[in-house]
C-alpha cells in the first residue's frame, strides 16, 4: 500500500477539478484493500475506490480516503472455442482492448477508447456501438472487505442493465471488484450494425478495421480528457414508451430512436440537448462540448459548482422543451457519500 502525500484529486479524476481528499492511497493487491479497511488510521473515514476516476464528479472536498485500484495482471487461457481472460481490476480498459486486438482476439473492439479501468467496467455495464460489457463478461471477482472473502459472480448474478448493475446497489459498499473474466469466441463475429460502422462489409471487415474506426470516431467527436477535462457521456440516453415517442414525432419528425423492447425505445440524449441549442453553452469554466452535446467539459477553470449548475441547466432545458427527464450517468460524490443532482441545493 502506498500513501500519497499530495492530497489533490485533480490528477485522479478525468474532470480534473481542483478538490482535495483527506487521504489518497494506492492499493496494488487484495491485501492492501483489506489492510486499508481494517487499519485504525482509516477506520472512521469514508472510503471511495477509484480507477481512473473517469465517471466521477467530486462536488466538494472529499472528507475520506480515496483508494486507487492498481491491481494489475492479464491471464489468457484457451478452450477449443474461446479465449478466456482474467484481468486485474486496475488494468486500463483501452489498453486491454488494444492488447486483445494485437493478439487477434475479437469481441472488445467496439468498446475501444472508453476511459477507465477494468474494475469500473461492470459497475456501469459500459457500452458502445451495439456492444455492452454484459455481452462479453463471464464473471466478476469481488472482495468483501469485511469478511475478507472473494466471491465470483457470473454474468447473470451481476444483474446488468442499461448503465447499471448489482455493483451500484446491493454490492455498492464494502465490495471491491478485484478482477473481471471475459469469454471471447475464437470465431469472431463483428458487430457493425450501428452507424457509422455499417460502412463495412460483414464478409471482409477485419478486427483491426473495426478497432481503428471506433478509435477514429471517438477521437473526432469526444474530447480527450488529458487535454480537456470531462467524464465522457454525462447523461444517460433516456428510455421512453413508444406511445410517448409517437407524440414527440409529431413535432420532431427527425428525432432519432432505437428499439429497446416491444414497449420502449431509447432516445439520444445528445440530440435532445443539441435541439435546445446548448452546444458550446458555458457557465463559469464548465462548457457543453461544441461537437458533442452529451459531454460537459472543464475548460481549465471549472469548479464543481460550475459543472453542477451547467448540468442542472441542461436538465431543465430538455425537460422544458421535450418533457423528458435526463438522468446523469456520471457519479456525483459529496463530502463523504454519493449524491445526485436532484439532492444538491441550487
Amino acid at each position: 500500500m502506498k500513501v500519497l502525500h499530495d492530497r489533490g484529486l485533480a490528477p485522479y479524476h478525468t474532470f480534473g477539478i481542483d478538490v482535495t481528499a483527506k487521504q489518497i492511497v494506492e492499493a496494488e493487491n487484495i491485501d492492501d484493500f483489506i489492510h486499508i479497511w481494517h487499519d485504525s488510521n482509516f477506520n472512521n473515514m469514508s472510503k471511495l475506490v477509484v480507477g481512473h476516476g473517469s465517471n466521477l464528479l467530486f462536488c466538494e472536498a472529499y472528507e475520506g480516503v480515496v483508494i486507487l485500484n492498481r491491481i494489475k495482471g492479464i491471464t489468457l487461457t484457451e478452450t477449443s472455442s474461446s479465449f478466456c481472460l482474467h484481468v486485474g481490476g486496475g488494468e486500463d480498459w483501452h489498453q486491454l482492448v488494444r492488447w486483445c486486438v494485437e493478439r487477434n482476439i475479437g469481441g472488445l473492439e467496439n468498446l475501444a477508447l472508453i476511459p477507465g479501468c477494468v474494475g469500473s467496467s461492470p459497475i456501469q455495464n459500459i457500452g458502445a456501438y451495439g456492444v455492452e460489457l454484459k455481452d462479453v463478461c463471464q464473471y466478476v471477482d469481488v472482495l468483501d472487505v469485511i469478511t475478507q472473502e472473494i466471491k465470483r459472480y457470473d454474468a447473470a448474478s451481476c444483474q446488468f442493465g442499461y448503465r447499471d448493475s448489482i455493483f451500484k446497489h446491493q454490492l455498492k459498499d464494502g465490495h471491491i471488484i478485484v478482477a473481471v473474466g471475459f469469454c471471447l469466441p475464437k470465431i469472431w463475429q463483428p458487430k457493425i450494425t450501428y452507424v457509422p460502422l455499417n460502412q463495412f462489409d460483414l464478409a471482409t471487415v477485419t478486427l483491426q478495421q473495426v478497432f481503428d474506426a471506433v478509435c477514429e470516431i471517438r477521437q473526432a467527436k469526444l474530447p480527450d480528457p488529458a487535454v480537456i477535462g470531462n467524464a465522457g457521456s454525462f447523461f444517460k440516453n433516456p428510455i421512453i414508451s413508444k406511445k410517448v415517442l409517437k407524440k414527440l414525432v409529431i413535432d420532431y419528425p427527425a428525432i432519432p430512436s432505437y428499439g429497446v423492447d416491444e414497449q420502449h425505445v431509447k432516445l439520444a440524449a445528445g440530440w435532445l440537448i443539441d435541439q435546445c441549442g446548448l452546444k458550446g453553452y458555458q457557465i463559469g469554466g464548465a462548457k457543453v462540448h461544441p461537437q458533442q452535446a452529451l459531454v460537459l467539459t472543464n475548460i481549465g477553470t471549472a469548479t464543481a459548482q460550475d459543472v453542477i449548475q451547467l448540468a442542472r441547466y441542461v436538465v431543465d432545458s430538455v425537460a422544458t422543451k421535450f418533457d423528458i427527464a435526463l438522468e446523469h450517468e456520471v457519479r456525483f460524490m459529496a463530502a463523504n457519500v454519493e449524491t445526485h443532482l436532484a439532492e444538491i441545493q441550487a
Side-chain angles (χ1 to χ4, degrees):
M1 182 185 74
K2 181 180 179 182
V3 178
L4 304 183
H5 297 291
D6 182 2
R7 298 175 186 176
L9 286 170
Y12 305 110
H13 68 122
T14 58
F15 248 121
I17 292 174
D18 188 18
V19 291
T20 60
K22 282 283 189 182
Q23 198 68 264
I24 305 174
V25 298
E26 289 185 348
E28 298 178 329
N29 52 55
I30 291 169
D31 287 342
D32 282 350
F33 278 111
I34 293 173
H35 177 77
I36 291 165
W37 251 264
H38 295 270
D39 187 322
S40 58
N41 292 319
F42 304 118
N43 273 351
N44 297 319
M45 298 175 68
S46 301
K47 299 172 183 66
L48 175 66
V49 179
V50 172
H52 290 332
S54 59
N55 198 50
L56 281 175
L57 174 66
F58 287 98
C59 300
E60 55 189 300
Y62 188 69
E63 297 295 323
V65 55
V66 171
I67 305 152
L68 307 177
N69 185 344
R70 297 295 182 257
I71 297 178
K72 303 289 188 175
I74 302 174
T75 303
L76 171 64
T77 57
E78 299 182 35
T79 68
S80 59
S81 60
S82 302
F83 296 107
C84 302
L85 301 176
H86 179 87
V87 186
E91 289 285 349
D92 180 84
W93 175 263
H94 176 66
Q95 293 308 315
L96 170 64
V97 178
R98 184 186 294 278
W99 187 93
C100 289
V101 172
E102 289 173 349
R103 289 159 179 77
N104 203 33
I105 300 174
L108 302 183
E109 60 283 348
N110 289 45
L111 305 176
L113 273 184
I114 293 179
C117 286
V118 170
S120 305
S121 62
I123 300 173
Q124 285 290 106
N125 183 27
I126 60 172
Y129 301 110
V131 177
E132 290 185 318
L133 186 89
K134 67 179 179 61
D135 302 322
V136 293
C137 178
Q138 185 179 26
Y139 61 80
V140 178
D141 284 351
V142 180
L143 168 67
D144 184 326
V145 293
I146 304 303
T147 66
Q148 304 182 28
E149 295 178 339
I150 296 175
K151 181 177 178 180
R152 177 163 292 181
Y153 292 80
D154 62 22
S157 301
C158 293
Q159 299 177 20
F160 289 125
Y162 175 56
R163 302 297 175 268
D164 199 17
S165 70
I166 194 173
F167 309 110
K168 282 189 170 184
H169 305 285
Q170 296 97 313
L171 301 184
K172 181 179 177 181
D173 299 317
H175 295 82
I176 314 299
I177 296 175
V178 295
V180 181
F182 300 89
C183 185
L184 306 172
K186 288 185 173 179
I187 299 177
W188 179 57
Q189 295 183 334
K191 308 292 186 184
I192 55 173
T193 57
Y194 269 53
V195 177
L197 298 181
N198 62 359
Q199 63 177 302
F200 293 114
D201 185 336
L202 192 61
T204 60
V205 66
T206 68
L207 174 58
Q208 188 69 51
Q209 284 177 321
V210 175
F211 173 80
D212 290 343
V214 170
C215 290
E216 182 178 350
I217 295 162
R218 292 186 69 90
Q219 287 170 335
K221 64 190 282 192
L222 298 172
D224 182 351
V227 179
I228 301 174
N230 72 93
S233 298
F234 199 93
F235 299 99
K236 296 180 182 180
N237 290 323
I239 296 174
I240 64 171
S241 70
K242 290 184 177 179
K243 184 177 179 180
V244 171
L245 177 63
K246 283 184 179 181
K247 295 180 181 178
L248 287 170
V249 168
I250 295 172
D251 294 322
Y252 307 99
I255 188 170
S257 64
Y258 309 91
V260 174
D261 54 38
E262 292 183 0
Q263 307 269 334
H264 300 88
V265 296
K266 184 188 299 182
L267 302 183
W271 186 90
L272 298 173
I273 298 167
D274 189 14
Q275 294 304 301
C276 295
L278 295 180
K279 278 185 177 176
Y281 187 85
Q282 186 173 334
I283 295 178
K287 185 176 184 177
V288 178
H289 193 258
Q291 279 73 51
Q292 174 50 269
L294 194 55
V295 179
L296 306 189
T297 66
N298 169 14
I299 62 171
T301 58
T303 64
Q305 281 303 311
D306 291 342
V307 179
I308 291 167
Q309 289 180 36
L310 182 59
R312 183 175 287 118
Y313 186 82
V314 170
V315 169
D316 291 346
S317 298
V318 170
T320 298
K321 188 175 183 68
F322 296 101
D323 195 25
I324 291 175
L326 288 184
E327 182 181 350
H328 53 85
E329 182 176 323
V330 172
R331 297 174 64 194
F332 282 37
M333 297 305 305
N336 51 31
V337 68
E338 187 165 351
T339 185
H340 191 277
L341 180 62
E343 298 171 350
I344 300 173
Q345 291 184 354

